Amino acid sequence: MSSYDVVIAGAGHGGAQVAIALRQAGFPGSVALIGDEPELPYERPPLSKEYLAGDKAFERILIRPERFWRDRDVTMRLGERVNAVDPVAHEVKTHSGATVGYGRLVWATGGSPRRLSCAGHDLVGVHTVRTRADVDRMRSELDRTERAVVIGGGYIGLEAAAVLTKFGKRVVLIEALDRVLARVAGEPLSRFFEAEHRARGVDVRLGTSVDCILGQDRVTGVRLHDGEVVPGDIVVVGIGIVPAVAPLRAAGAEGPDGPPGGVAVDAQGRTSLPDIFAIGDCALHPNRFASGAAVRIESVQNANDQATVVAKTIAGLPASYEAVPWFWSNQYDLKLQTVGLSTGFDDSVVRHDPATRSFSIVYLNNGHVIAIDCVNAVRDYVQGRKLVEAGAIVARSRLADAKVQLSELM
Ligand code: FAD
């Protein structure tokens, strides 16, 4: 049986960063990353952007080259899935039957794409966008694709719709709620992106739900609840993820049974089980930018910063997760940058005219700036970050005045 001082389950953004930060902190012990994908850790955001578009080769999205891991003596156990945890024996079991001992275990498994439960959900030609393999599979079908149906108007669905449109495909986007990005942004941003997609020919259907996916050998379309059939040569499903925490929950780690799911951790990333930490998309953590409430955040920033906190904690250095959340999305020539968490805002202010395609939306709660969405507005993003970090109280009229720089408002 092999054994390591630190075993990291999941070789994605968070898992890779734990190993990097452990070595940066001078941690001398043995470190192993166990990941179920066959590839070295790679960046996931390009999967629905440059990699899907064919603008970036896979080698360019690797988080670090192979020699980096070798030089730092990080053992890569790829294509191996952890399916059981024994917190008493300090061991994990992998799907191949191997037992691996650990001093500390970091659970960094992200999540699996939420799947539709309706008939036809598993037909050939129905795609999700979570892994390189998912995107390679989709790309291999694009030559024979004229029409695509995208289910889900969140970031991933919108980004996929933008790339498919760029490829000249006819895209129908189906969203169950009455606006796109409804769970993550205010109405002005939703309407802006909706209009941008429509202007490029995407047929955006709001308040629309799917009855079933049609097809025999492979997908031919989607039947909506009102009976309409939307033809499609491929279907892309982007309706969120389910945190991949089953083995850890089965071992006794605390976490909610219902949404938002995940495993509960404290400000150092510790789960309720001794010597077991969790980070990234699957970690339900107290976040000061959500007024201390426990949240799960699906972003590179969150995975990386939590990873660094856990690595420092393991290395015996003081650390606590307090980083300001930030996120980005690229669609067409639009770069959206978000700082803070807008959930729970009670007021919002639009700066600059969205018609110029360069504007921002400042979200307030009880007078405090809690988040800013910036579209092609890097200056607002950089300057507004300080307002969010400080939870600044600023008069609406000053925020709305585009002649006033956000840096003047601190
Ligand atoms: P992941 O990076 O998903 O890594 C988890 C790894 O663990 C995966 O390789 C998984 O296969 C593996 N695994 C799961 N279970 C097991 C197991 N039992 N044993 C071993 N291995 C296991 N964020 C942004 O901030 N900006 C963006 O623009 C953006 N765009 C995105 C676009 C796409 C298409 C996707 C999918 C995500 C995007 N995200 C973006 C989100 C971001 O990529 C995630 O938040 C981030 O990858 C989370 O890191 P993680 O380490 O928690 O999980």
Side-chain angles (χ1 to χ4, degrees):
M1 177 182 107
S2 44
S3 199
Y4 306 88
D5 295 307
V6 178
V7 166
I8 302 160
H13 274 278
Q17 179 59 25
V18 174
I20 294 169
L22 277 170
R23 292 306 187 220
Q24 277 170 349
F27 182 75
S30 52
V31 177
L33 266 159
I34 306 180
D36 63 357
E37 293 184 74
E39 296 91 359
L40 287 170
Y42 60 88
E43 294 169 29
R44 233 163 269 284
L47 293 181
S48 50
K49 308 177 182 75
E50 305 94 318
Y51 186 70
L52 176 60
D55 294 338
K56 257 191 187 174
F58 182 70
E59 292 62 40
R60 288 187 55 209
I61 65 171
L62 284 177
I63 288 176
R64 292 289 189 278
E66 204 264 328
R67 70 169 182 287
F68 176 93
W69 305 110
R70 215 177 330 117
D71 290 351
R72 280 152 190 83
D73 201 15
V74 174
T75 303
M76 286 289 172
R77 299 180 60 142
L78 301 174
E80 208 171 352
R81 183 173 185 77
V82 176
N83 57 13
V85 178
D86 183 338
V88 178
H90 278 54
E91 289 170 2
V92 298
K93 286 213 169 2
T94 72
H95 76 294
S96 59
T99 300
V100 182
Y102 64 82
R104 316 283 177 82
L105 173 66
V106 185
W107 197 258
T109 52
S112 3
R114 189 179 296 282
R115 296 184 189 271
L116 295 167
S117 51
C118 62
H121 69 95
D122 52 358
L123 277 169
V124 175
V126 177
H127 298 277
T128 52
V129 194
R130 183 74 194 176
T131 64
R132 177 207 191 176
D134 290 342
V135 177
D136 285 352
R137 209 174 301 122
M138 193 196 317
R139 283 177 55 87
S140 73
E141 295 183 10
L142 289 184
D143 281 350
R144 59 155 113 152
T145 297
E146 268 180 43
R147 290 176 296 200
V149 182
V150 175
I151 301 176
Y155 287 120
I156 289 178
L158 291 175
E159 289 178 354
V163 174
L164 292 168
T165 303
K166 186 182 148 194
F167 279 137
K169 314 299 177 194
R170 277 191 282 155
V171 180
V172 178
L173 185 136
I174 296 169
E175 166 56 52
L177 300 177
D178 63 355
R179 58 185 176 93
V180 298
L181 299 176
R183 290 186 189 82
V184 288
E187 176 134 13
L189 197 80
S190 300
R191 296 300 170 209
F192 173 80
F193 276 102
E194 177 191 336
E196 287 287 332
H197 281 270
R198 286 194 198 281
R200 286 172 168 85
V202 178
D203 179 358
V204 180
R205 308 283 190 93
L206 302 173
T208 304
S209 48
V210 170
D211 179 40
C212 64
I213 312 286
L214 300 166
Q216 292 291 327
D217 299 331
R218 60 168 293 124
V219 66
T220 56
V222 171
R223 187 190 294 133
L224 305 178
H225 259 130
D226 65 4
E228 181 186 346
V229 170
V230 180
D233 307 306
I234 60 167
V235 170
V236 182
V237 182
I239 53 171
I241 63 161
V242 180
V245 293
L248 202 52
R249 291 299 311 282
E254 283 171 14
D257 293 328
V263 163
V265 298
D266 66 12
Q268 283 70 44
R270 294 186 196 93
T271 69
S272 58
L273 296 174
D275 298 321
I276 302 183
F277 299 79
I279 58 169
D281 284 7
C282 67
L284 184 70
H285 65 277
N287 194 300
R288 98 168 159 89
F289 294 91
S291 307
V295 291
R296 269 197 325 100
I297 297 182
E298 296 165 16
S299 74
V300 168
Q301 169 279 319
N302 178 66
N304 281 343
D305 288 339
Q306 287 185 337
T308 303
V309 166
V310 164
K312 284 184 174 169
T313 304
I314 291 174
L317 302 171
S320 188
Y321 185 58
E322 280 163 17
V324 63
W326 55 265
F327 185 84
W328 77 97
S329 172
N330 300 338
Q331 295 163 46
Y332 310 109
D333 58 343
L334 301 165
K335 186 171 179 70
L336 168 71
Q337 294 167 290
T338 290
V339 59
L341 298 175
S342 60
T343 331
F345 72 94
D346 57 18
D347 193 9
S348 65
V349 180
V350 180
R351 283 171 57 79
H352 310 275
D353 181 359
T356 63
R357 306 177 78 245
S358 168
F359 67 102
S360 22
I361 304 170
V362 183
Y363 298 91
L364 303 155
N365 187 314
N366 214 6
H368 295 269
V369 175
I370 57 166
I372 310 186
D373 284 334
C374 306
V375 176
N376 292 343
V378 180
R379 184 184 292 169
D380 272 7
Y381 173 72
V382 172
Q383 298 183 354
R385 196 184 169 97
K386 290 199 174 60
L387 296 179
V388 174
E389 275 170 342
I393 297 185
V394 186
R396 285 188 105 259
S397 56
R398 301 273 288 156
L399 288 169
D401 185 348
K403 292 192 289 304
V404 177
Q405 305 270 313
L406 291 182
S407 57
E408 295 168 36
L409 300 178
M410 270 302 287

